[in-house]
Amino acid sequence: MADLSHYRNIGIFAHVDAGKTTTTERILKLTGKIHKTGEVHDGAATTDFMDQEAERGITIQSAATTCFWKDHRMNIIDTPGHVDFTVEVYRSLKVLDGGVGVFCGSGGVEPQSETNWRYANESEVARLIFVNKLDRLGADFYRVVGQVEKVLGATPLVMTLPIGTEDDFVGVVDVLSQKAYVWDDSGLPENYEVTDIPADMVDDAAAYREQLIETALEQDDDLLMAYMEGEEPSLEDIKRCIRTGTRTMAFFPTYCGSAFKNKGIQLVLDAVVDYLPNPVEVDAQPLTDEETGEATGEVATVSTDEPLRALAFKIMDDRFGALTFIRIYSGVLNKGDTILNSFTGKTERVGRMVEMHADDRTELSTAKAGDIIAIVGMKNVQTGHTLCDPKHPCTLEPMIFPEPVISIAVAPKDKGSTEKMGIAIGKMVAEDPSFQVETDEDSGETILKGMGELHLDIKVDILKRTYGVELTVGQPQVAYRETITQAIEDSYTHKKQSGGSGQFGKIDYRIKPGEQNSGFVFNSIVVGGNVPKEFFPAIEKGFKGMMEEGPLAGFPLLDVEIELYDGGFHAVDSSAVAFEIAAKGAYRQSMPKAGPQLLEPVMKVDVFTPEDHVGDVIGDLNRRRGMIKDQEAGVTGVRIKADVPLSEMFGYIGHLRTMTSGRGQFSMEFSHYSACPANVAEAIIAAEKEKKAAK
């Protein structure tokens, strides 16, 4: 059995274009996992194996791979940087023990790296920092270090300093050993020599070393006291303190280099081994109660002696079938074992287990606590499900995914593709929990729902290329609703006489607006048997069945209270059907008189913008009928919180990026329904009527 202290489960995350994927490539090359490095800009990177990734030069799915460095096994996940795919970063961080945050030497701390940093803080993942692309024009290591302090509110522990800048960047100074690592022009990562520090950097290097030791020793009071009295700590002691501080996130060891030019990566790999925690050192995952979802106080201790507990964190479909990525927290899993999915209560047999290297795989017969592996052909497992020993059922803390806010209607271009589209979409929904699908009852259209416009754009592209389904895509749609504003009292009689028994039902009722979010409420105060009790359910059913279609434009009607107070019946002709029809007629007759009103979904919008663009952003939100709720100044900019109607937010990311020269970012989630202004409502009602006429 391999020693768990030699395991490192790490993620590499950063803003779009900071060089995560290139850094991963270099790590794989250095550790001997691949022999020829692929470049992102050629579309040949190992971990970007989807067509859409190679083409756009961005990472969409998180890819997993395993390699070895100095007898340590590293399970690495390369995560996407783009805002619409943060769900990928979030779920990867959930199962990792440590991470490397990559920042661009010239771009610095960018919005998406802030979001990812926030996720990593929430998941309590220890991190190293790698300032990349120091060979680029405008690269400035010291500026980026300053931004890490200001923007992220984090303490960078500077471990290496750059020798030369931009085109003259040749290597790094290792602050701790006070040695210089200088690479030659061959571009090969192994062609470097260790020399003395360049004369003009000796003072700087000494100052940074002193700072490093002082910060590190804050983890051990005795050593700090001795150091203050002039006693130099041993290298082992300093490293132990750095390790402790990294694990508790007191500071983040910070390295520099150029992944593309193969400079400085070895030191980052050494740091992963030296300072990032192994699976046993991380706080164990809490177990939760299956019914309530509350924490039980128990944890999944990382050990091979415990019963099996694993979390499925990602589902991926590839040419060999469905892959379920799992992180094993405790116990051992063997090929052929039967395991329990505590969410569905069903057991499944483990057929094939594989270790992934991007989209290649190696067969495994056994895996154990600390491993990240994939199981082939699991049937009913979804992201966030717990897999465990059937004799010891348990539930690990689940993942929470945001609700989709935007939808588009799609239809296959040719009739033959309908079934193909259904199967493909089924697989995609399993892979991405933030992507949902439903069928519109009236039009029979398929509605795709997602986190943003780029998100849905990529989904349509995958359907076309991976699954060969050409789609016709409609305009993005908003889910409107209707309600009423006035209380009315009315009466309706349904009478039908035709040969044999007739139909008769008379109801007297009051309709009034209900409380917000109360839905549909029906009650009866009829006394004296003018309407027999057995007909009440039929009357309620008649009204309720009509609520799906409001009187204005046919959108569902919300928050209405109906009270039945009198009526009449016929001993022979009255029946449940007669009273149900009476209720439907009453709805059609009375709802248009009750002051119907159109409601629109309002989103809680959180915009982040640099200070110099606050005025523009607020002005723009006001033009979009937004209500500004709050403004708070952060270290690098301002967060603006507002309520804005969803219909005004289409295409917003493009406008925001233009206004803030690419530095703004936003997130939004559904807040509540509120009344549409009259001019907006009229246009929507007219458009709906036109649609109906066209049908």
Side-chain angles (χ1 to χ4, degrees):
M1 296 291 263
D3 177 359
L4 275 179
S5 66
H6 283 229
Y7 269 58
R8 298 288 180 274
N9 289 320
I10 61 168
I12 294 187
F13 55 93
H15 187 81
V16 176
D17 253 8
K20 300 175 297 306
T21 303
T22 307
T23 304
T24 309
E25 283 291 309
R26 297 307 184 256
I27 289 174
L28 296 178
K29 173 79 171 67
L30 269 173
T31 55
K33 189 77 188 185
I34 52 175
H35 299 297
K36 172 185 177 294
T37 30
E39 300 303 351
V40 175
H41 53 255
D42 298 337
T46 312
T47 51
D48 283 355
F49 50 84
M50 287 168 63
D51 293 344
Q52 291 78 3
E53 295 180 312
E55 200 160 286
R56 296 172 192 233
I58 61 172
T59 304
I60 295 169
Q61 287 186 335
S62 31
T65 184
T66 303
C67 58
F68 290 86
W69 181 254
K70 298 197 170 166
D71 295 339
H72 283 66
R73 173 197 176 102
M74 294 184 191
N75 294 319
I76 301 177
I77 295 185
D78 173 29
T79 63
H82 202 286
V83 68
D84 281 16
F85 309 106
T86 32
V87 59
E88 285 281 347
V89 181
Y90 170 73
R91 61 176 170 195
S92 302
L93 282 167
K94 178 96 182 131
V95 298
L96 295 169
D97 306 324
V100 179
V102 179
F103 297 104
C104 170
S106 58
V109 176
E110 293 162 291
Q112 197 53 35
S113 32
E114 278 178 72
T115 311
N116 292 342
W117 195 265
R118 197 171 67 241
Y119 280 153
N121 283 343
E122 285 166 15
S123 304
E124 297 183 0
V125 172
R127 277 147 284 165
L128 305 174
I129 292 172
F130 176 54
V131 180
N132 187 23
K133 300 195 173 182
L134 286 182
D135 54 319
R136 277 191 47 180
L137 207 62
D140 181 345
F141 173 69
Y142 301 98
R143 190 186 76 234
V144 181
V145 169
Q147 284 182 331
V148 168
E149 287 175 347
K150 285 210 307 278
V151 181
L152 303 177
T155 307
L157 185 70
V158 176
M159 304 293 290
T160 61
L161 303 174
I163 303 173
T165 56
E166 300 177 357
D167 283 350
D168 304 327
F169 173 69
V170 292
V172 299
V173 168
D174 179 357
V175 175
L176 207 50
S177 69
Q178 294 283 303
K179 289 285 179 210
Y181 287 68
V182 181
W183 278 263
D184 64 17
D185 293 335
S186 67
L188 292 172
E190 51 276 9
N191 286 5
Y192 66 91
E193 50 179 340
V194 181
T195 63
D196 289 334
I197 300 174
D200 59 348
M201 290 184 71
V202 170
D203 295 347
D204 275 357
Y208 271 100
R209 185 169 197 270
E210 195 168 315
Q211 202 179 322
L212 185 157
I213 293 173
E214 276 176 26
T215 310
L217 295 189
E218 280 169 14
Q219 301 301 313
D220 186 323
D221 293 343
D222 297 345
L223 287 174
L224 187 59
M225 292 300 291
Y227 180 66
M228 290 303 183
E229 286 162 15
E231 196 180 311
E232 178 81 5
S234 71
L235 195 60
E236 279 65 44
D237 281 340
I238 299 173
K239 282 191 164 180
R240 182 171 48 78
C241 288
I242 296 175
R243 192 178 176 87
T244 308
T246 306
R247 203 173 72 232
T248 55
M249 304 197 314
F251 47 71
F252 302 91
T254 301
Y255 291 81
C256 61
S258 159
F260 183 56
K261 295 277 170 67
N262 277 313
K263 292 171 183 166
I265 302 284
Q266 283 94 333
L267 293 144
V268 178
L269 283 171
D270 288 346
V272 168
V273 167
D274 287 342
Y275 307 127
L276 285 182
N278 64 50
V280 182
E281 291 172 313
V282 178
D283 286 348
Q285 281 284 322
L287 299 178
T288 56
D289 184 291
E290 218 149 311
E291 304 300 314
T292 61
E294 311 262 308
T296 59
E298 288 184 70
V299 294
T301 313
V302 179
S303 156
T304 48
D305 304 331
E306 294 271 318
L308 175 75
R309 298 186 182 113
L311 185 71
F313 68 95
K314 181 179 166 64
I315 313 288
M316 195 172 102
D317 200 72
D318 74 355
R319 58 185 192 273
F320 301 105
L323 289 173
T324 305
F325 281 85
I326 66 167
R327 160 76 198 260
I328 302 176
Y329 285 106
S330 62
V332 179
L333 180 63
N334 295 306
K335 196 171 162 174
D337 280 359
T338 297
I339 53 176
L340 169 72
N341 176 344
S342 65
F343 182 84
T344 60
K346 294 193 167 78
T347 54
E348 290 199 39
R349 197 170 158 279
V350 178
R352 293 169 58 210
M353 301 191 304
V354 293
E355 179 184 287
M356 294 298 294
H357 172 52
D359 60 345
D360 287 337
R361 75 250 347 255
T362 314
E363 296 276 343
L364 299 171
S365 57
T366 180
K368 59 177 196 335
D371 280 338
I372 293 179
I373 61 154
I375 302 179
V376 184
M378 298 288 273
K379 291 285 180 293
N380 300 308
V381 180
Q382 298 289 344
T383 299
H385 285 182
T386 300
L387 304 174
C388 56
D389 180 339
K391 292 195 208 64
H392 300 91
C394 72
T395 304
L396 289 157
E397 190 177 57
M399 304 180 180
I400 298 147
F401 296 108
E403 283 296 307
V405 290
I406 174 174
S407 64
I408 51 173
V410 297
K413 282 193 176 154
D414 54 89
K415 287 281 175 278
S417 299
T418 311
E419 191 184 341
K420 201 155 117 187
M421 178 180 84
I423 294 168
I425 288 177
K427 288 178 176 174
M428 287 162 66
V429 170
E431 287 181 14
D432 180 354
S434 61
F435 173 58
Q436 293 174 10
V437 176
E438 62 185 45
T439 306
D440 184 327
E441 304 286 310
D442 304 337
S443 63
E445 288 177 315
T446 300
I447 310 287
L448 306 185
K449 299 177 164 187
M451 299 312 299
E453 290 168 276
L454 177 72
H455 192 200
L456 292 178
D457 192 27
I458 297 258
K459 295 296 176 201
V460 169
D461 199 40
I462 291 174
L463 277 166
K464 179 173 150 187
R465 280 203 268 181
T466 311
Y467 297 103
V469 181
E470 289 275 358
L471 295 176
T472 312
V473 180
Q475 285 301 310
Q477 292 303 314
V478 176
Y480 291 102
R481 295 287 181 265
E482 297 180 25
T483 192
I484 54 167
T485 56
Q486 292 156 22
I488 61 163
E489 206 168 283
D490 213 343
S491 171
Y492 187 88
T493 307
H494 169 65
K495 209 169 21 187
K496 187 175 170 203
Q497 212 58 50
S498 58
S501 64
Q503 287 183 353
F504 179 85
K506 173 176 187 289
I507 52 175
D508 298 336
Y509 52 89
R510 298 185 186 100
I511 295 178
K512 60 178 186 187
E515 294 287 311
Q516 199 173 8
N517 295 333
S518 61
F520 167 74
V521 178
F522 175 83
N523 53 45
S524 164
I525 54 166
V526 178
V527 285
N530 283 351
V531 178
K533 269 201 176 65
E534 66 260 31
F535 297 138
F536 293 171
I539 298 169
E540 180 174 357
K541 186 180 168 197
F543 275 117
K544 195 172 183 180
M546 297 295 283
M547 298 307 251
E548 279 304 302
E549 202 156 309
L552 283 175
F555 293 112
L557 196 66
L558 297 181
D559 307 336
V560 176
E561 211 172 296
I562 294 174
E563 185 174 76
L564 181 71
Y565 69 90
D566 206 355
F569 79 107
H570 186 284
V572 177
D573 291 350
S574 285
S575 65
V577 171
F579 274 104
E580 190 179 326
I581 294 170
K584 288 182 172 172
Y587 178 94
R588 279 193 285 267
Q589 169 185 298
S590 304
M591 285 304 174
K593 303 182 207 167
Q597 186 181 50
L598 198 65
L599 300 175
E600 61 182 349
V602 174
M603 309 303 288
K604 202 160 72 192
V605 178
D606 190 342
V607 186
F608 173 83
T609 165
E611 268 174 47
D612 35 355
H613 300 293
V614 172
D616 299 344
V617 170
I618 289 180
D620 180 64
L621 287 171
N622 286 332
R623 276 194 296 281
R624 294 171 188 272
R625 302 193 281 121
M627 287 276 298
I628 309 295
K629 289 284 195 211
D630 188 26
Q631 249 178 279
E632 62 185 73
V635 195
T636 52
V638 180
R639 290 205 108 84
I640 300 163
K641 293 183 164 57
D643 287 351
V644 192
L646 174 60
S647 58
E648 303 287 343
M649 291 298 289
F650 291 133
Y652 182 62
I653 189 68
H655 290 282
L656 179 64
R657 288 198 178 131
T658 310
M659 274 186 300
T660 59
S661 45
R663 288 159 64 207
Q665 61 168 20
F666 83 105
S667 65
M668 64 177 181
E669 56 187 326
F670 173 72
S671 171
H672 60 277
Y673 274 98
S674 101
C676 264
N679 58 336
V680 177
E682 279 163 23
I684 293 163
I685 294 164
E688 283 302 308
K689 287 199 169 127
E690 241 174 72
K691 255 195 224 170
K692 290 207 166 65
K695 282 178 189 171

